[in-house]
Amino acid sequence: MKITIKHYLLFTLLFSVSAIKAQRFAENQSKIVLVVHGGAGTINKKNMTPEKEANYKAALTLALQKGFNELKLGKSALDAVQAAVNVMEDSPLFNAGKGAVFTNEGKNELDASIMDGRTLKAGAVAGVTSLKNPVNAARAVMEKSQHVMMVGKGAEIFATSQGCETVPTSYFFTQERWQQLERAKKSEMGDRSAYNFDPRESMISGVSDEDKKFGTVGAVALDINGDLAAATSTGGMTNKRYGRVGDSPIIGAGTYCNNLTAGISCTGWGEYYIRLAIANRVSNLIEFKNISVEEATKQVISELGNLGGDGGIIALDQKGNVAMDFNTSGMYRGTIDENGNVSVYIFKN
Ligand code: ASP
């Protein structure tokens, strides 16, 4: 074929249009960021061993990398938080999924929630006992039902009908958590000797057993389209009573997400997080006081402390600003930036 001037001009025009489109796409592309936590609590260096520390850091790193892979593939922030939380739910190190704590009756009752910052759609499950990854069930509630929250048997029937994996209740048994329950019960009876043990011998956490309520996991992500998502999953509190539900599955308490403000996931003494509607409060402060995600998180952590509660918060806004704050001695936490650089922390820096 003979190349004429006409061909040449057409080719140049097409080339310029696609170059402009590519540039526009790059300009509109958001940073991709992922933040995770694996619970806040009395995590002291003296109760840790180098091996235990390395195990926690490896698990957080894997969660960050799995979530980041989703973002890298151009998938949504929802896919990223779900993937990151699944890794921690499958690890016996965290109080979620496989490593969930025991109730007073010796059962594992799991709670989880997820929220989409673009649509403000949300889903949650509470008190489920046979779902391997409760956060997947929360997402199914959000996407496949007309509801936001389902509890107990109903949540399980629905999640199973949507293809969520079930496991026998024995799947959730871990020796470490069982012993934690036994110690909590002894101490409740006034037997302080329950805590005469060396926490370094336990493979889970540097958390002292007196601290019954920590180890929840959560994630917040920002995807390539600039959308935020947040998710939280937990076994709740060791020795919790009949049907107790904490903050983690409650939208506005343990999880909240709005593209206009931030994505937020919490860990800590759930009763206080519910009373202060902590996750929603962080969002409201950003919206109504026009303050940064760091300032809002700091203020809410201080309000939590004033009321007598403790715990931590992770938050991420649409510009990629990250806040990870807590008033306990430690919080398992980490971030991965758009270049795939991972930073994980346990203690106060
Ligand atoms: N917030 C959770 C609850 O109270 C516990 C945790 O964060 O570990 O159920």
Side-chain angles (χ1 to χ4, degrees):
M1 187 180 79
K2 213 174 134 204
I3 308 268
T4 62
I5 296 253
K6 230 160 126 192
H7 282 118
Y8 178 75
L9 287 175
L10 189 65
F11 175 75
T12 319
L13 182 71
L14 285 176
F15 180 76
S16 320
V17 168
S18 34
I20 291 168
K21 270 193 182 160
Q23 194 193 340
R24 288 230 176 106
F25 180 68
E27 278 165 7
N28 290 334
Q29 247 184 350
S30 148
K31 275 182 173 183
I32 55 175
V33 184
L34 175 66
V35 193
V36 300
H37 71 77
T42 318
I43 311 170
N44 291 319
K45 194 118 195 152
K46 69 172 172 42
N47 294 341
M48 275 290 194
T49 59
E51 194 199 347
K52 216 154 45 165
E53 226 177 289
N55 288 344
Y56 273 96
K57 286 188 171 169
L60 290 170
T61 301
L62 185 65
L64 286 164
Q65 285 168 339
K66 282 270 165 119
F68 185 72
N69 286 346
E70 301 290 301
L71 295 173
K72 261 282 203 239
L73 290 170
K75 296 212 197 157
S76 68
L78 285 168
D79 291 329
V81 292
Q82 184 177 352
V85 167
N86 281 170
V87 170
M88 295 184 282
E89 286 178 332
D90 292 344
S91 163
L93 296 177
F94 304 101
N95 172 19
K98 174 71 189 154
V101 297
F102 284 93
T103 67
N104 178 262
E105 294 168 302
K107 294 183 183 163
N108 307 98
E109 294 178 354
L110 316 175
D111 307 328
S113 61
I114 192 162
M115 186 160 182
D116 178 353
R118 183 174 65 84
T119 59
L120 300 190
K121 284 189 176 168
V125 293
V128 294
T129 57
S130 66
L131 298 171
K132 180 168 176 276
N133 296 103
V135 76
N136 298 359
R139 186 159 179 192
V141 171
M142 174 176 81
E143 289 177 346
K144 307 281 172 49
S145 83
Q146 294 175 327
H147 309 299
V148 168
M149 190 176 203
M150 291 189 186
V151 305
K153 266 275 151 287
E156 282 170 2
I157 293 167
F158 173 75
T160 313
S161 77
Q162 297 304 318
C164 293
E165 189 177 345
T166 55
V167 284
T169 49
S170 58
Y171 166 81
F172 298 106
F173 183 90
T174 58
Q175 195 58 37
E176 309 272 347
R177 295 297 187 196
W178 185 255
Q179 285 168 351
Q180 212 171 13
L181 172 66
E182 286 182 330
R183 285 193 288 263
K185 283 186 159 178
K186 259 193 186 174
S187 130
E188 211 172 53
M189 304 295 288
D191 181 354
R192 299 303 298 162
S193 72
Y195 292 112
N196 293 342
F197 78 105
D198 184 353
R200 283 170 304 178
E201 281 164 15
S202 162
M203 68 120 176
I204 49 160
S205 195
V207 176
S208 90
D209 263 11
E210 287 175 86
D211 221 353
K212 298 193 262 304
K213 53 204 172 295
F214 301 107
T216 291
V217 307
V220 188
L222 173 62
D223 67 27
I224 206 153
N225 297 315
D227 293 323
L228 291 165
T232 311
S233 183
T234 191
M237 239 169 126
T238 300
N239 202 20
K240 67 184 178 185
R241 296 307 202 275
Y242 343 99
R244 180 261 185 190
V245 175
D247 60 310
S248 309
I250 297 180
I251 298 302
T255 304
Y256 197 72
C257 194
N258 184 342
N259 273 2
L260 299 178
T261 56
I264 299 122
S265 171
C266 303
T267 169
W269 195 338
E271 280 68 10
Y272 288 88
Y273 278 71
I274 296 172
R275 288 165 59 198
L276 284 166
I278 293 254
N280 186 245
R281 183 148 180 81
V282 173
S283 174
N284 283 346
L285 285 174
I286 297 170
E287 185 171 353
F288 302 126
K289 278 182 88 182
N290 203 18
I291 57 177
S292 70
V293 74
E294 291 90 346
E295 286 169 305
T297 305
K298 197 165 172 232
Q299 179 174 327
V300 174
I301 285 288
S302 132
E303 290 169 357
L304 170 72
N306 293 342
L307 204 67
D310 53 0
I313 301 171
I314 59 168
L316 167 68
D317 72 13
Q318 239 186 352
K319 292 200 184 96
N321 297 310
V322 173
M324 301 188 284
D325 213 340
F326 50 99
N327 65 357
T328 51
S329 54
M331 175 165 82
Y332 299 107
R333 63 200 187 279
T335 59
I336 186 162
D337 69 15
E338 53 190 331
N339 302 314
N341 298 316
V342 171
S343 313
V344 289
Y345 312 93
I346 299 179
F347 310 105
K348 281 209 165 56
N349 292 323

